[in-house]
Amino acid sequence: MTRRLSAWLEGVYAGEFIEDERAGSITFLYDDNAPQTPISLSLPRDGAATRKAAGRFLGNLLPDRQAAREWMKSVTHAASTGTFDLLAAVGGDLAGGLVLPPGDETPEAAIGDLDPAEDDAIAFRIRTLHLDTDRWYDSAEPARFSLAGSQPKFALADIDGDWYWSNAAIPSTHIVKPAANVNVGAEEAEVAAIALAGLVGIAAPRASILTIAGEQAYIVERFDRVTGADSIARRVHVEDMAQALGKDTSEKYDVTARQVIELLAAHDADLRSGYDFVRQMAFNSAIGNADAHAKNYSVLLRPGSISLAPIYDSLPTRLWPSYDQTLAMRVSGADFSQEVSIDHWAKLARTSGLDQDRVVEEVRVIYQAVADRADTAWADLPDDQPARMRDLIREQTGKIAR
Ligand SMILES: Nc1ncnc2c1ncn2[C@@H]1O[C@H](COP(=O)(O)OP(=O)(O)O)[C@@H](O)[C@H]1O
Ligand SMILES: [Mg+2]
């Protein structure tokens, strides 16, 4: 038996994912009139995709943890936790420009369902997620979205200052990510890190702490949405590096910096996105973020061009000893942020085809800017964390900042 899931990209019909259950395969077939932008760099318009790319691309739109997928299945009454079944239920609001409406529906079919998200309902979602990280949905709420990652989260649409649950016709504009209670200070630290990234010259979305009906959570504006004159957001296509490289979610820690840079170079003649990627990597290393794996970097796809997406999910994991502090992407063999020297960055440039002098200069600027703000950037963190950050930053940037 074959099943189909139609795909709309930035509002235009793009083609369909086809699952052949007997063969156990998923493929994507572009429509003749599909937009010029590819669904993924791993699914080029000329059809030269690797065998597993389409199925992996879809899987990467879902939460990383199986327990969150199980919860999604039980709340949505999906037939299984397979990617096709889950996305048929939640494919209304996804990362990037895609909408996967059920059956033959068009994304506009959902326009009638403008569902206000009441303060109490938002606060209830936050309270629940602080305690149970896999309960991404609530059966009482109409929200049908999906995002990747292992932290709990949900999406909201801001329309003229009021919150609504998102759907295929109402794209979310914000992501709310309540941190697990055990990671004290994680929300403040992510706000601080994203703000600092912006200050040191890295493209960064606006993030803050949402306070609503007595609850608090990290909230960030989506960089894959632009709001039009009618106050309703439009989707802009992006994909993460696991998707772009045709990797499975489970391989997110196996992707190397060199693989990412070489992929970007193949699609970006002036290599701008490659240098931007190294600058984000350098920022993550300078602040002590070991968890910057392939799904924490994304690429914006435009007709005929690409660029690196703004930074996200950047926080100093070294503050919490329970995190594995091995760098998710090593810097030329350096495994820990405090080991990384300028020679490691120079070698990464040499081995991945970037200009060594330019990388050394750009990396130094980032490290220096992070070091210069070590006393101020983390001031809103609780307890002794500002002082610990000062020490950690000194250790991580000492070898590189001038
Ligand atoms: N500001 C943003 N704009 C658009 N997409 C985002 C933004 N932040 C995160 N995402 C998307 O949501 C996914 C999950 O967010 P992330 O912060 O990485 O969560 P987690 O901490 O669970 O990994 C990301 O992989 C990315 O696709
Ligand atoms: Mg993430």
Side-chain angles (χ1 to χ4, degrees):
M1 197 178 93
T2 59
R3 297 195 297 170
R4 287 153 196 276
L5 205 50
S6 62
W8 295 68
L9 188 65
E10 299 183 352
V12 180
Y13 182 68
E16 52 187 8
F17 289 91
I18 303 160
E19 182 180 48
D20 182 334
E21 283 181 297
R22 191 170 312 149
S25 67
I26 297 178
T27 48
F28 183 74
L29 194 63
Y30 281 99
D31 186 73
D32 287 344
N33 299 316
Q36 196 198 336
T37 309
I39 297 267
S40 169
L41 297 181
S42 71
L43 299 170
R45 292 290 311 266
D46 64 13
T50 56
R51 196 168 59 83
K52 294 193 168 162
R56 288 174 171 175
F57 175 86
L58 289 179
N60 275 308
L61 296 169
L62 292 167
D64 296 11
R65 286 168 52 80
Q66 183 61 21
R69 296 186 187 192
E70 297 282 355
W71 183 258
M72 197 182 235
K73 165 182 175 279
S74 67
V75 171
T76 61
H77 305 293
S80 77
T81 58
T83 48
F84 247 67
D85 285 327
L86 288 181
L87 285 169
V90 301
D93 192 39
L94 303 168
L98 267 194
V99 172
L100 305 170
D104 295 327
E105 272 181 30
T106 64
E108 292 79 28
I111 196 88
D113 312 335
L114 200 54
D115 283 305
E118 309 292 347
D119 286 6
D120 283 347
I122 296 172
F124 178 75
R125 302 293 312 121
I126 293 173
R127 193 155 50 244
T128 306
L129 290 172
H130 277 311
L131 296 170
D132 185 341
T133 53
D134 294 318
R135 276 171 95 110
W136 290 33
Y137 298 87
D138 178 62
S139 41
E141 295 303 339
R144 290 287 185 266
F145 72 97
S146 182
L147 284 166
S150 50
Q151 303 291 315
K153 56 183 75 66
F154 59 93
L156 289 173
D158 173 353
I159 304 178
D160 291 331
D162 291 315
W163 294 122
Y164 293 85
W165 301 112
S166 60
N167 62 35
I170 310 291
S172 57
T173 57
H174 291 69
I175 297 169
V176 182
K177 198 165 79 158
N181 282 340
V182 290
N183 291 334
V184 175
E187 294 176 348
E188 292 85 348
E190 190 160 352
V191 171
I194 297 296
L196 178 61
L199 285 176
V200 309
I202 289 170
R206 258 190 302 199
S208 59
I209 303 289
L210 173 69
T211 304
I212 194 159
E215 296 296 328
Q216 295 202 335
Y218 176 80
I219 185 165
V220 64
E221 283 181 11
R222 296 189 70 138
F223 50 71
D224 55 354
R225 305 290 187 256
V226 287
T227 299
D230 61 356
S231 302
I232 305 284
R234 302 271 173 277
R235 296 183 165 92
V236 176
H237 199 38
V238 324
E239 64 173 339
D240 67 41
M241 294 303 173
Q243 292 176 306
L245 285 159
K247 301 286 182 186
D248 188 73
T249 303
S250 63
E251 300 172 294
K252 66 184 178 183
Y253 286 106
D254 302 336
V255 172
T256 65
R258 184 173 161 181
Q259 283 175 302
V260 173
I261 296 166
E262 287 177 352
L263 175 79
L264 294 169
H267 295 274
D268 185 11
D270 70 5
L271 297 180
R272 172 74 198 263
S273 55
Y275 292 101
D276 284 345
F277 168 72
V278 172
R279 292 168 70 245
Q280 287 193 10
M281 252 189 104
F283 178 79
N284 282 320
S285 174
I287 68 162
N289 176 19
D291 202 38
H293 51 67
K295 291 182 69 63
N296 283 336
Y297 295 100
S298 284
V299 62
L300 290 157
L301 303 181
R302 306 308 320 142
S305 71
I306 64 163
S307 58
L308 196 74
I311 196 166
Y312 60 92
D313 204 9
S314 179
L315 73 171
T317 54
R318 283 193 78 199
L319 277 178
W320 303 278
S322 62
Y323 274 94
D324 181 353
Q325 304 301 343
T326 314
L327 289 175
M329 285 189 201
R330 300 194 301 170
V331 187
S332 302
D335 276 322
F336 297 96
S337 54
Q338 61 272 36
E339 268 176 23
V340 180
S341 71
I342 204 67
D343 292 342
H344 289 109
W345 292 108
K347 184 170 174 199
L348 176 63
R350 280 200 308 279
T351 53
S352 54
L354 296 178
D355 181 75
Q356 179 177 318
D357 294 342
R358 179 169 168 189
V359 164
V360 164
E361 178 57 25
E362 294 194 357
V363 161
R364 268 200 212 282
V365 168
I366 301 276
Y367 273 75
Q368 185 64 52
V370 170
D372 288 345
R373 290 166 175 81
D375 286 332
T376 52
W378 312 97
D380 290 342
L381 274 56
D383 311 325
D384 64 347
Q385 289 185 353
R388 287 176 57 214
M389 278 308 293
R390 205 163 45 231
D391 294 344
L392 291 173
I393 298 261
R394 190 175 303 137
E395 189 186 11
Q396 284 144 199
T397 60
K399 288 204 249 325
I400 294 179
R402 284 177 228 273

